[in-house]
Amino acid sequence: MAEVLRALRLYVLLQRASARGAMQYRLNTVIGIISGAIWQGTGFAFIWVVMHTFPSLAGWGLAEIAFLYGLRLTAHALAMIPLISVNDIHSVVRNGEFDRFLLRPLNPLVQLMGNRMGISQFGDLLVGVTLLAVAGQNAHVQWNAWLIAFCFVAIVGGALIEAAFFVALCSLSLRMIDTFALRVFVDDIFSKFGSYPMKIFGSTVEWLLTFVLPVAFVAYVPSGVVLGKLDNPWALAAPLLGVVLVALAYLIWRRQLDHYQSVGH
């Protein structure tokens, strides 16, 4: 536990240094946040146009889908803000920079995470939280202490699920030449399919996106619980899945790290 707390403290220090560096170029930082917000806003604008043609999708109205979209986007932002620099792993390995991480008395993954902070992802977070607040009111959710707590835990759980797949796929770059295309493909599945009710994709795809690639557990299942559309007991355990997957992802990282070979620089 002492080692974990030490790594966490050093990670916070690294991110604070990254944030101070970013704030030296304040206009660039603001543009990055606004760009992220606009990008995600256009994604929801497409849903808004679709919902004007089809007022209901699998029994979900615009406000309810907006809540689902906001929950997924908030979870995505919370996963990517601390992890975005891990996305650079292929270039870090290829340029021989990863060797330096192995020589320092700090977990290499923590060092990689601390390289830079996800600035544009704060725009994602802004849009996600705004949608949650507005849609939660328009969808007439009967908020109480239990639902608020569940929603908070579900967002963290969804972030952990995305983070787990992200770290696991990035770790493959320690042994393979490049896994960027695979990471983009999986991210597209989470973002494209995870923003809609699973029922609209048919029973086979819904099963695959629930029990093979657990996209449904990021936002669809938790949103269904909050909105009263899912009352299955197993749905309440959705946030716990993220903890299990993060543990498995870290085991994959350690396994790939054992097989890392320097580029010889």
Side-chain angles (χ1 to χ4, degrees), residues 54-129:
F54 306 96
S56 176
L57 294 178
W60 292 59
L62 176 59
E64 294 165 329
I65 292 183
F67 185 86
L68 187 158
Y69 190 96
L71 198 152
R72 186 206 65 80
L73 188 54
T74 303
H76 172 76
L78 291 180
M80 290 298 105
I81 287 174
L83 286 175
I84 193 63
S85 63
V86 181
N87 198 45
D88 304 329
I89 188 171
H90 57 285
S91 61
V92 171
V93 170
R94 187 176 301 169
N95 295 332
E97 298 176 23
F98 193 76
D99 293 1
R100 293 184 299 173
F101 295 166
L102 299 176
L103 297 175
R104 297 168 181 164
L106 180 61
N107 190 311
L109 180 58
V110 176
Q111 296 182 60
L112 187 60
M113 290 170 57
N115 261 357
R116 64 184 176 95
M117 182 182 292
I119 298 300
S120 64
Q121 281 69 37
F122 279 99
D124 300 358
L125 183 62
L126 177 63
V127 175
V129 172

Side-chain angles (χ1 to χ4, degrees), residues 184-207:
V184 171
F185 174 71
V186 174
D187 180 69
D188 276 347
I189 292 178
F190 272 96
S191 61
K192 299 295 192 303
F193 289 87
S195 301
Y196 295 90
M198 292 290 135
K199 294 290 184 184
I200 69 174
F201 301 118
S203 57
T204 301
V205 175
E206 180 183 3
W207 185 87

Side-chain angles (χ1 to χ4, degrees), residues 218-262:
V218 174
Y220 172 64
V221 171
S223 295
V225 173
V226 173
L227 297 171
K229 293 184 174 295
L230 291 177
D231 54 4
N232 294 5
W234 59 267
L236 300 178
L240 300 178
L241 180 62
V243 178
V244 176
L245 290 178
V246 163
L248 291 175
Y250 187 70
L251 290 177
I252 293 173
W253 165 267
R254 291 304 301 258
R255 179 64 175 172
Q256 301 307 311
L257 189 60
D258 290 339
H259 293 276
Y260 169 74
Q261 293 182 342
S262 173

